[in-house]
Amino acid sequence: MAGILAWFWNERFWLPHNVTWADLKNTEEATFPQVEDLYLAFPLAFCIFMVRLIFERFVAKPCAIALNIQANGPQIAQPNAILEKVFTAITKHPDEKRLEGLSKQLDWDVRSIQRWFRQRRNQEKPSILTKFCESMWRFSFYVYIFSYAVRFLKKTPWLWNTRHCWYNYPYQPLTTDLHYYYILELSFYWSLMFSQFTDIKRKDFGIMFLHHLVTIFLITFSYVNNMARVGTLVLCLHDSADALLEAAKMANYAKFQKMCSLLFIMFAMVFITTRLGIFPLWVLNSTLFESWEIVGPYPSWWLFNLLLLLIQGLNCFWSYLIVKIAYKAISKGKVTKDDRSDIESSSDEEDLEPPGKNPHTTTTTNGTSGTNGYLLTGSCSIDD
């Protein structure tokens, strides 16, 4: 194990030329980031997860109930051993041939079997109350961490002049505020890594998993080789829009549609401005060009910038989805659905239709779509 660690933390890869790990050991005059500091992230990630459970139970849930958000989930499919076996062991989306076979076996009409499979699929979906509590937790954390970052960074020279991220690098002392900010961010992303498997499943699960992996690796390695100054800029910039998205989701779940639309527009503007404008022109310009001029490239420098460019690629992908949602809402002027939505559309009205009525026709009441409230009305078009 010692040999593996020595190979992994090879000084010639991680540090600039003529710099060793011994040069970055703590002294009485200065404190530098240490690998051992990162071990704090694991117990802290567990604490964050426990705080989340308490917050959702005793803070978010009462708020949701006060807003008349009920815990009612989708309609439960009636028990049926044969259909349940097909659902769990064979397919959740039977084709026409299988539907006809089941119809003969059970003496049910095909439409009833289709309804059963739809209800059974939706039965595993979370309630609006669960989604509201998750969004409220994320909103609260993002507001806190972004506010802390702004208060901390406005007193630092590298916020106003990014060249200070590289002056005297890597011999830049570690401050208490920077250490706390980094460890807290790392702990939160570790908690997201683990809770992602138990949270609401979304269509971009794989992309979010990749995003969390890249973020954790970036935070870890930028802390260890003391690129923490520019790392704080990356973290703060990427946290700036997240609270607005979670706030828009909460407004959606509470059926405050005008507020949801306004918050989503604000989120889209902040997201695109920060991640497609400020991030490449300000942060990437510093990591690619200013650092090359002041410090010079070395092996981990290339890896660091490659990961930042990967993050930027994900930013472009998400910006495309946001623009796509906004375009649909503006051009068509009707209900649209977020491409990250985890809810399968199904209408109670369709289930209650008498035989002979067109099964593809749904009704609306008071401007609300007939899809169990999972789609938005008007121009607001996000749903987790």
Side-chain angles (χ1 to χ4, degrees):
M1 180 60 67
I4 293 174
L5 290 175
W7 169 81
F8 182 80
W9 293 112
N10 187 289
E11 295 166 336
R12 297 284 57 82
F13 179 81
W14 294 105
L15 298 175
H17 301 299
N18 301 321
V19 179
T20 66
W21 293 120
D23 297 330
L24 298 179
K25 290 295 183 182
N26 293 333
T27 65
E28 295 182 358
E29 293 78 20
T31 300
F32 299 103
Q34 305 296 314
V35 177
E36 296 78 12
D37 299 342
L38 300 176
Y39 297 150
L40 293 171
F42 295 103
L44 187 55
F46 177 76
C47 292
I48 289 175
F49 183 73
M50 297 306 296
V51 169
R52 170 187 171 173
L53 296 181
I54 295 172
F55 178 90
E56 290 185 354
R57 175 72 178 273
F58 297 104
V59 179
K61 187 175 180 179
C63 290
I65 294 174
L67 293 170
N68 295 321
I69 298 175
Q70 302 300 321
N72 298 332
Q75 185 177 353
I76 304 299
Q78 67 182 63
N80 187 292
I82 296 175
L83 295 180
E84 185 68 28
K85 183 177 180 180
V86 173
F87 182 87
T88 56
I90 302 177
T91 178
K92 296 181 180 181
H93 299 271
D95 55 22
E96 292 184 8
K97 183 177 180 180
R98 190 176 298 278
L99 286 171
E100 292 174 358
L102 290 170
S103 176
K104 295 177 180 178
Q105 184 178 358
L106 296 172
D107 195 24
W108 286 18
D109 60 86
V110 172
R111 181 180 174 79
S112 297
I113 297 175
Q114 289 176 324
R115 183 185 304 117
W116 189 94
F117 273 92
R118 182 173 58 250
Q119 291 175 349
R120 185 62 181 85
R121 289 192 296 267
N122 286 338
Q123 188 175 315
E124 299 179 347
K125 304 300 182 179
S127 66
I128 298 298
L129 178 65
T130 300
K131 297 166 72 176
F132 180 91
C133 292
E134 179 182 315
S135 289
M136 188 170 180
W137 159 250
R138 292 174 184 251
F139 169 79
S140 302
F141 181 85
Y142 289 137
V143 167
Y144 168 74
I145 200 67
F146 181 69
S147 300
Y148 179 86
V150 171
R151 291 197 305 270
F152 154 56
L153 286 172
K154 69 181 183 181
K155 299 180 291 185
T156 63
W158 62 86
L159 176 66
W160 313 106
N161 183 358
T162 52
R163 297 178 70 88
H164 282 277
C165 293
W166 311 109
Y167 291 151
N168 198 35
Y169 174 81
Y171 306 106
Q172 298 168 339
L174 177 68
T175 65
T176 302
D177 287 336
L178 194 154
H179 171 76
Y180 172 79
Y181 180 54
Y182 243 72
I183 297 300
L184 187 59
E185 285 275 19
L186 180 60
S187 302
F188 179 69
Y189 277 101
W190 270 119
S191 72
L192 289 182
M193 270 290 286
F194 298 126
S195 66
Q196 189 177 10
F197 294 95
T198 58
D199 286 343
I200 299 166
K201 296 296 186 296
R202 298 180 174 87
K203 290 182 179 180
D204 67 344
F205 175 87
I207 294 176
M208 287 303 297
F209 185 78
L210 175 63
H211 174 268
H212 295 337
L213 276 179
V214 172
T215 302
I216 287 172
F217 189 76
L218 270 172
I219 293 175
T220 299
F221 123 59
S222 63
Y223 181 85
V224 171
N225 70 355
N226 210 10
M227 286 186 177
R229 290 187 175 184
V230 73
T232 58
L233 301 181
V234 175
L235 289 170
C236 182
L237 200 60
H238 281 74
D239 287 340
S240 60
D242 291 336
L244 290 171
L245 176 60
E246 300 303 332
K249 291 179 183 179
M250 290 190 294
N252 169 34
Y253 304 144
K255 301 188 184 303
F256 299 151
Q257 302 303 335
K258 291 184 178 180
M259 182 181 296
C260 174
S261 299
L262 176 61
L263 289 169
F264 180 73
I265 292 171
M266 293 172 60
F267 158 74
M269 293 175 62
V270 173
F271 187 98
I272 293 174
T273 300
T274 55
R275 303 200 185 192
L276 297 189
I278 299 176
F279 180 65
L281 296 177
W282 186 46
V283 175
L284 288 180
N285 175 69
S286 180
T287 60
L288 287 169
F289 302 110
E290 292 178 349
S291 63
W292 182 294
E293 177 186 345
I294 298 173
V295 180
Y298 51 98
S300 67
W301 178 94
W302 294 97
L303 176 61
F304 181 69
N305 281 286
L306 178 63
L307 292 174
L308 287 179
L309 290 172
L310 178 58
I311 291 288
Q312 182 61 11
L314 294 175
N315 290 339
C316 292
F317 171 75
W318 283 315
S319 296
Y320 162 74
L321 293 183
I322 292 170
V323 172
K324 182 179 177 182
I325 294 168
Y327 174 77
K328 286 182 179 179
I330 294 172
S331 63
K332 297 183 179 180
K334 62 180 183 179
V335 175
T336 58
K337 187 177 183 180
D338 183 1
D339 287 349
R340 294 189 60 203
S341 177
D342 57 309
I343 297 297
E344 177 185 1
S345 299
S346 66
S347 64
D348 290 338
E349 288 83 352
E350 181 179 336
D351 292 341
L352 298 176
E353 286 171 4
K357 185 174 181 180
N358 185 354
H360 301 292
T361 303
T362 57
T363 59
T364 59
T365 304
N366 296 330
T368 304
S369 66
T371 51
N372 290 331
Y374 293 135
L375 300 185
L376 298 182
T377 59
S379 61
C380 187
S381 54
I382 60 168
D383 181 24
D384 263 0

